[in-house]
Amino acid sequence: MFLRRFAGPLLAKVKQTTGIVGLDVVPNAREVLISLYTKTLKEIQAVPEDEGYRKAVESFTRHRLEVCEEEEDWEKIEKRLACGQVEELIEEAQDELTLISKMIEWDPWGVPDDYKCEVIENDAPVPKHVPLHRPGPLPEEFFKTLEALTSPPKKNEPAITSSESSSKE
């Protein structure tokens, strides 16, 4: 009992390496992550509430913070989040904090409703060695089905419902 209570933390698994060149092991990764996620949630408050960026950052940061607070072991944190090693998560959180400050500086949500943007079209031909990445043609069945669904029913013919059209094929 005595050993389990006091030696438990001392006998915890210690990560030897991340296996990623230039990414050192962070022995107190959980505490660092909790600190970074808490700071992220505080910083993101400067972004307007209805912006998608804020909603996305708050959502995944809250989830990650919750996991870090619930789990003591770095291996369990990595497994539950499934987003890489804790050291990678630390780098991501630091990058997110940098991005938040840039987004606040750039103010992309502050564009007036009546703002006009100049659109420049380039009609230059695409060189032959550059693929156009256009999707292939749709099958004929697609157009037949579309026509049957969008055209009004003829006299003396019942209308085709989507469930009937799928059962006939």
Side-chain angles (χ1 to χ4, degrees), residues 48-166:
E49 267 184 55
D50 58 337
E51 290 302 319
Y53 173 65
R54 175 176 171 171
K55 291 175 184 177
V57 170
E58 283 180 332
S59 174
F60 75 76
T61 303
R62 278 195 187 109
H63 170 69
R64 291 179 178 187
L65 177 60
E66 184 179 299
V67 169
C68 289
E69 288 173 340
E70 290 173 2
E71 300 293 348
E72 296 285 331
D73 186 30
W74 58 268
E75 286 181 317
K76 290 180 182 176
I77 292 171
E78 289 177 356
K79 188 174 183 175
R80 278 191 58 193
L81 291 179
C83 292
Q85 299 182 41
V86 286
E87 290 81 6
E88 292 174 295
L89 293 171
I90 290 170
E91 281 193 348
E92 283 181 22
Q94 291 168 338
D95 290 345
E96 194 66 57
L97 280 168
T98 303
L99 180 59
I100 290 170
S101 66
K102 293 284 187 190
M103 291 292 277
I104 292 167
E105 176 188 335
W106 296 332
D107 190 28
W109 40 82
V111 179
D113 291 336
D114 61 341
Y115 180 78
K116 300 287 184 206
C117 177
E118 181 183 0
V119 177
I120 301 172
E121 293 187 28
N122 183 354
D123 294 331
V126 177
K128 292 189 186 299
H129 69 279
V130 177
L132 295 177
H133 298 293
R134 292 192 179 142
L138 294 169
E140 274 186 53
E141 294 83 28
F142 171 80
F143 294 105
K144 289 178 184 175
T145 305
L146 180 64
E147 185 178 332
L149 292 173
T150 56
S151 63
K154 296 177 185 175
K155 290 182 182 179
N156 301 334
E157 257 186 51
I160 298 176
T161 61
S162 60
S163 61
E164 289 176 3
S165 65
S166 62

Side-chain angles (χ1 to χ4, degrees), residues 1-10:
M1 181 76 166
F2 175 79
L3 280 177
R4 193 175 298 149
R5 175 179 277 177
F6 294 105
L10 298 174

